[in-house]
Amino acid sequence: MTVLGWLQIIILLVAVVAAAIPIGAYMVRVMGGERTFMSPVLRPVEAGFYKLCGVDPKVEQGWRAYTLSMLAFSAAGFFSLYALQRLQAYLPLNPQGFDGVAPDLAFNTAVSFVTNTNWQNYGGETTMSHLMQMAGLTVHNFVSAATGLGMAFAMVRAFSRSESKTIGNFWTDLTRGVLYILLPISIVVALVLVALGVPQTLLASVDATTLEGAKQVIAMGPVASQEAIKELGTNGGGFFNANSAHPFESPNVWSNFIENWSILVIPVATVFAFGRMVGNKREGRALLTTMAIVFLVGVAAVYAAETFGNPILTALGVDGAAGNLEGKEIRFGQAMTALFTVSTTGTSTGAVIAAHDSLTPLGGLVPLFNMLLGCITPGGVGAGLYGILVLAIITVFVAGLMVGRTPEYLGKKIETREMKLAMLAVLIYPPLVLGFTAASVMLKTGLDSLNNAGAHGLSEILYAFASTTANNGSAFGGLTGNTLWYNTTLGLAMFLGRFAYVIPVLALAGSVAAKKKSPASVGTFPTDSPLFVGLLLGVIVILYLLQYFPALALGPIVEHFSMLAGKAF
C-alpha cells in the first residue's frame, strides 16, 4: 500500500459524496412529483407516458397494489427479453448473424437482467446482436434499476408518513426514476466515455493488422451507451466478456475513475435523500456512516492482501514487489483495483476490472462477504437503502429488548408483524446460497463445471450463488456457468433473491406506513447516534457471520492458510 494509492481512493470517494448530496436533494423533488430544472423538457414526455398507459399519477397504491404492479411489469420484461433472445436470428441489427440464444441460457439471461443482476453466462460480443444489446439488455438496465429505486422510495415514504394506507404509485416511480434520474445522468456519462475513447457505433467489427502482420477482427458496437447505465444503474453486465477490464469498455485511468464514481454516486445519493425525506439528515448520515465503515474496511483489506502478494508465486521466482498482479490490468493499479472490487460488490453492480478468481484468498473473501451481506454497503440503486433499513429495524428491536421498551424507528413502533417480515426477508438468502451450493458440490453435473478442485473450487461455487442471490452478477471466472444445471439454478437464485426478498419488504413498508408517527421522547433510543451505528454494525457482522462462517471457513479461510504455508489450494 502507498500514500499515492490511498490518495487516489480518497479523491474518488470525495467526488462521490460531493455529487451525491445535490443529486440526493434532486431525487427527493423528482420522486415527490415536484418541479425541477428538467421539468420543462421532461414533464410533457412523462405526461405522454401516463396517458398512453392509462396511469393517473395522482392516485397512489397500497403495498399490495404496488407489489402486484412491480411483479406484473417484471414478468412482462422477462417474457419480452426471453423472446428477443430466442428470435434474435430473425430480427434486424444483427450484423454478426448470431443465432437465437439457447433456451436455458435465454432463461438465465432474462431473469438476470430483469432482476438487476446481469449475471452473464455468455460472451456479449460473441452471442448478442446489437438489437439485443440495445433494445433488450440496455433497456432493462434502466428499468430494473428504476424498479429498485422506486421500491426504496416506497419504503422511505412508509417512515415519513403517519397512518397512511398508501406507499406511492409504482408506475410514476418507475417513469420518474428513468426519465429524470437515470437517463439524463447516463447521457452525460456516455458522452464523457466516448470522449475518453469508448466506442459508440453500429459497426459489427473492424479489421486490423497486428505488429506481426497477422489479420485481426476486433468486435465493436454501441458500447458507451450500455457502459454508462451499466455502472449508474448498478447493473454490471458488460458489452464484452472481459467486462470493464476490456480496453473498449474502460480504456484508461480516467474512464475507470468515471465508471467507479458512477457505481457509487446514486446509491450514496439515495441515502442522503432518505435523510431529507424523513426530516432528519442525521438519520441518513448514520446509515451512510455504517455503510462507509464496512466499505472502507473492505477496501483496506483487499488493498493490503493484494499488495502483500502470493508467497507461492514468489517462491517460484515471480517478483512480488508489486504484489499479486495475476488477473489485473496494470493501467488501473492496485489501489483503484481494490476500490473497484469493493465498489462493485458493496453495490449490486458486479462489473469487474480484474479477475476476482485470481485475487488472493483474503482479497477474494471481501467481495464474497459483501455479497453475503446482500450488497448493502452502499448497495444497489434503491436495493441498498431498503436492505439497510431492514437491518436497522432488527437493530432497534434488539436495542428495545436490552432496555425493556417497545422498539421504535423514526417514530414508528416496531412490533411483531414488522419483525416477522424483517426476519422473513433476511432469512431468504441463506437457504438459497447454502442450499444450491451444497447441491452443486454433491452432484457430478455441478462439479464438472469447476476449473479448480478443493477449497478454491468450493469458493467458486459459493461465490456464484452468493452473487446471483444478492443480484450482483460478478463471478469467480473458474466456474463454467453455461450449463443446464447452472443456468437453471443460478436463474432461480436470482429470481428468488430479488422477488422473495422484496415482497416482505414492501409488506413491511405497508405495515409501517399505516402506523401513527409518534414524536421522540426522553426514553426514545436515538437512531442517529454513534451508539446506533455501533449496534447496527454488530447486528450486520453477527447475523451474517453466524449464517455463513462454516462455508467461509471451508473455502477462502482454508485457502488463505494454505497460501501462507506455501501450498496450492
Side-chain angles (χ1 to χ4, degrees):
M1 292 192 292
T2 65
V3 173
L4 181 59
W6 277 109
L7 185 61
Q8 293 177 63
I9 292 170
I10 291 169
I11 289 173
L12 192 146
L13 295 179
V14 169
V16 167
V17 174
I21 293 173
I23 290 174
Y26 170 73
M27 291 168 68
V28 172
R29 295 182 63 84
V30 167
M31 301 306 280
E34 299 177 36
R35 186 175 179 82
T36 70
F37 71 96
M38 297 291 289
S39 296
V41 177
L42 296 178
R43 187 64 64 84
V45 180
E46 179 188 2
F49 276 118
Y50 295 149
K51 185 175 181 180
L52 181 66
C53 300
V55 173
D56 185 348
K58 297 179 181 179
V59 176
E60 291 200 346
Q61 299 170 308
W63 79 266
R64 291 181 179 84
Y66 197 103
T67 303
L68 289 174
S69 297
M70 179 272 296
L71 292 174
F73 179 77
S74 300
F78 168 80
F79 287 114
S80 63
L81 188 53
Y82 181 85
L84 274 175
Q85 293 177 84
R86 299 290 290 131
L87 299 173
Q88 177 175 258
Y90 308 102
L91 297 173
L93 291 177
N94 184 7
Q96 307 93 330
F98 290 143
D99 293 330
V101 181
D104 57 318
L105 179 57
F107 164 77
N108 183 279
T109 305
V111 173
S112 178
F113 279 79
V114 166
T115 58
N116 197 240
T117 308
N118 291 36
W119 173 274
Q120 294 175 289
N121 276 339
Y122 62 90
E125 68 270 41
T126 58
T127 309
M128 300 297 181
S129 69
H130 289 351
L131 180 68
M132 262 304 304
Q133 295 275 17
M134 295 186 295
L137 307 184
T138 302
V139 167
H140 279 84
N141 283 348
F142 279 98
V143 296
S144 66
T147 298
L149 190 64
M151 291 188 287
F153 275 90
M155 187 74 165
V156 177
R157 292 185 193 108
F159 284 104
S160 63
R161 297 175 177 181
S162 182
E163 297 179 296
S164 174
K165 295 182 179 179
T166 61
I167 57 173
N169 184 311
F170 171 77
W171 306 109
T172 59
D173 286 346
L174 174 69
T175 305
R176 289 167 182 166
V178 172
L179 275 182
Y180 289 88
I181 300 170
L182 295 172
L183 186 58
I185 304 176
S186 293
I187 291 173
V188 174
V189 171
L191 291 173
V192 172
L193 291 177
V194 169
L196 291 171
V198 178
Q200 181 69 19
T201 177
L202 293 179
L203 291 176
S205 61
V206 294
D207 296 328
T209 302
T210 67
L211 293 175
E212 293 83 7
K215 298 296 183 181
Q216 183 179 4
V217 178
I218 302 175
M220 299 184 71
V223 183
S225 56
Q226 180 166 327
E227 196 70 16
I229 186 57
K230 157 190 149 182
E231 313 293 17
L232 283 165
T234 60
N235 297 282
F239 190 95
F240 297 99
N241 192 39
N243 210 280
S244 291
H246 195 290
F248 282 177
E249 290 201 22
S250 186
N252 51 56
V253 66
W254 288 110
S255 61
N256 182 63
F257 185 97
I258 294 297
E259 291 183 23
N260 204 331
W261 176 89
S262 299
I263 289 172
L264 296 171
V265 68
I266 293 182
V268 174
T270 307
V271 182
F272 282 121
F274 163 77
R276 286 178 175 271
M277 284 188 68
V278 299
N280 186 348
K281 295 179 183 179
R282 293 192 302 273
E283 295 287 353
R285 289 197 290 266
L287 295 183
L288 188 59
T289 300
T290 306
M291 294 172 169
I293 291 171
V294 178
F295 182 89
L296 290 172
V297 168
V299 171
V302 175
Y303 193 12
E306 296 307 304
T307 51
F308 176 77
N310 187 334
I312 298 175
L313 295 179
T314 303
L316 294 173
V318 178
D319 184 4
N324 175 37
L325 293 178
E326 181 188 338
K328 294 187 176 65
E329 295 294 312
I330 299 298
R331 67 185 186 276
F332 299 140
Q334 291 281 19
M336 298 308 283
T337 299
L339 178 61
F340 198 101
T341 298
V342 178
S343 298
T344 196
T345 53
T347 64
S348 63
T349 308
V352 295
I353 63 170
H356 289 189
D357 195 43
S358 296
L359 296 172
T360 61
L362 287 187
L365 175 62
V366 172
L368 174 57
F369 188 65
N370 279 341
M371 294 184 298
L372 293 175
L373 292 180
C375 299
I376 56 171
T377 55
V381 171
L385 180 58
Y386 60 68
I388 199 73
L389 286 174
V390 169
L391 293 173
I393 287 171
I394 296 173
T395 300
V396 296
F397 179 78
V398 172
L401 291 178
M402 290 179 178
V403 298
R405 284 179 55 91
T406 301
E408 292 183 14
Y409 188 58
L410 302 176
K412 299 296 185 84
K413 292 188 182 297
I414 306 302
E415 299 174 305
T416 304
R417 175 174 169 79
E418 290 73 42
M419 278 307 301
K420 285 180 178 179
L421 291 169
M423 290 308 301
L424 178 60
V426 299
L427 291 176
I428 291 296
Y429 285 1
L432 294 175
V433 176
L434 300 177
F436 280 130
T437 299
S440 296
V441 299
M442 293 175 65
L443 297 174
K444 185 178 184 299
T445 185
L447 295 175
D448 284 346
S449 291
L450 286 177
N451 189 43
N452 299 277
H456 194 63
L458 173 62
S459 295
E460 289 175 349
I461 297 175
L462 181 65
Y463 191 104
F465 286 108
S467 175
T468 48
T469 301
N471 300 141
N472 179 268
S474 65
F476 268 9
L479 180 72
T480 301
N482 191 14
T483 65
L484 180 62
W485 169 257
Y486 282 111
N487 277 330
T488 304
T489 55
L490 292 171
L492 291 173
M494 290 184 276
F495 178 84
L496 294 172
R498 174 77 157 190
F499 299 113
Y501 184 89
V502 298
I503 291 173
V505 167
L506 289 172
L508 176 60
S511 180
V512 169
K515 290 180 176 290
K516 183 178 180 180
K517 194 174 178 69
S518 305
S521 63
V522 176
T524 301
F525 177 62
T527 52
D528 57 0
S529 64
L531 178 60
F532 174 75
V533 171
L535 281 174
L536 181 53
L537 286 169
V539 167
I540 290 171
V541 173
I542 294 171
L543 180 64
Y544 290 100
L545 274 183
L546 285 176
Q547 294 178 108
Y548 296 113
F549 183 77
L552 295 175
L554 291 173
I557 296 175
V558 168
E559 291 182 60
H560 175 68
F561 286 108
S562 296
M563 183 189 74
L564 294 180
K567 298 178 181 179
F569 39 80

